[in-house]
Amino acid sequence: MTSGRARPAVLVARRVFPDVLAGLQRHFEVEANDTDEVWSPEELRQRLQGKAGALTTGSERISAELLAACPDLRVVANMAVGFNNFDVAACTAQGVLATNTPDVLTETTADFGFALLLATARRLTESEHFLRAGLWNRWSVDMFAGAEVHGSTLGILGMGRIGQGIARRGAHGFGMRVLYHNRSRLSPATEADCRAEWVPKADLLAQADHLVLVLPYSAASHHAIGAAELALMKPTATLVNIARGGIVDDEALAHALRTRQIAAAGLDVFEGEPTVHPELLALSNVVLTPHIASATLPTRRAMAQLAADNLVAFLVEGRALTPINPDVLTRVG
Ligand code: DGY
């Protein structure tokens, strides 16, 4: 319990678990978003007035303009490993600590990446819709025949912790040959553990039977997969995106799926989500999920708790657990 001085005020921008909120209320004056509606930038700005900290999700954009209009803000704790909703340079310039939630979601998200890969390759949702529509009246030799997963070539673009988790599942669980491309190569020991081989991006695209995208979104990774990259892929290939919308050019992907330039895609993230490109919605060779790769209750709880713990660590103890811009700590420390 913080005592003696006025307690700092914090904003919790989306609904979180009641016990996580109660933990914050032991230290802070808390304004919470009970409706769980996504606030407009203007409403977020208004609610941040007088707040020293904010617990945000990927839906809240922490821009330079917002930071300039919220002079009391000292820390923004994102309940996500990705932080492309933060202008990190502006946070640092204004002395605002930014934190995220790495590690606690790695294995859960890798599980989901593999689930989406399997569902896409083996045409799970397409065949289920067929059955539910009452169209199944006989067994047929090639009905919903999909792509082989075991023994095939798994390509991973972006080889951080989640990419490594997917590589291990592919190599050790499904006997896949694992290729990856990343700006920096893994250490030989980690490559051996993942049984993964670094290749240039063009080779990855050309050789993968299943290509999984796990790279962070930035200006550099915008449309990392567009028409030119899709043209390099096998016509039998599947593409899985669990990273961020904007890494794939959804318009180009819809075209590639419609013209069978690639066989299928599994998408958990979209450009402009929660709006989904109408052509993707109309295609049967794409599995669509609403940004749920980290969504198990234990993992979402761990993410919320870590974000809350970052607020407490910084505002009460002057430290941070998982800082994105640790320079701010040395400046305020
Ligand atoms: C992440 O942690 O970045 C996920 O996408 C959150 O939903």
Side-chain angles (χ1 to χ4, degrees), residues 80-293:
V81 66
F83 48 85
N84 55 298
N85 55 315
F86 285 2
D87 184 333
V88 177
C91 287
T92 307
Q94 191 157 314
V96 173
L97 181 77
T99 67
N100 67 340
T101 57
D103 299 322
V104 293
L105 48 63
T106 300
E107 298 304 328
T108 299
T109 305
D111 282 349
F112 188 85
F114 229 89
L116 201 48
L117 188 162
L118 287 165
T120 306
R122 298 302 307 272
R123 305 176 65 180
L124 229 62
T125 54
E126 189 187 355
S127 60
E128 193 203 353
H129 292 155
F130 171 88
L131 181 151
R132 284 182 189 270
L135 299 171
W136 185 33
N137 57 15
R138 62 181 183 282
W139 182 91
S140 180
V141 66
D142 58 355
M143 186 171 66
F144 294 107
E148 212 69 271
V149 175
H150 73 275
S152 66
T153 297
L154 171 62
I156 301 176
L157 187 59
M159 199 58 157
R161 287 163 283 219
I162 297 168
Q164 291 168 36
I166 291 169
R168 286 192 194 95
R169 282 161 177 74
H172 301 284
F174 288 81
M176 297 169 94
R177 173 180 180 225
V178 181
L179 305 177
Y180 77 97
H181 181 78
N182 201 47
R183 270 177 314 182
S184 49
R185 283 187 67 153
L186 301 176
S187 69
T190 310
E191 278 191 355
D193 181 37
C194 295
R195 286 203 219 137
E197 180 191 339
W198 185 93
V199 290
K201 184 176 169 187
D203 293 0
L204 185 80
L205 295 168
Q207 292 186 47
D209 294 312
H210 307 286
L211 177 66
V212 183
L213 309 179
V214 214
L215 64 171
Y217 181 76
S218 67
S221 63
H222 182 72
H223 287 186
I225 300 294
E229 290 75 18
L230 290 161
L232 294 177
M233 292 177 68
K234 296 180 184 181
T236 50
T238 61
L239 174 73
V240 172
N241 188 6
I242 56 165
R244 276 292 179 274
I247 288 175
V248 175
D249 176 345
D250 284 352
E251 174 98 35
L253 175 62
H255 176 80
L257 289 166
R258 197 178 56 250
T259 57
R260 303 283 164 164
Q261 198 172 24
I262 67 167
L267 308 173
D268 187 47
V269 287
F270 306 88
E271 286 191 288
E273 66 184 49
T275 303
V276 176
H277 195 293
E279 279 194 51
L280 290 173
L281 289 171
L283 290 165
S284 59
N285 54 342
V286 54
V287 179
L288 306 166
T289 53
H291 202 147
I292 55 169

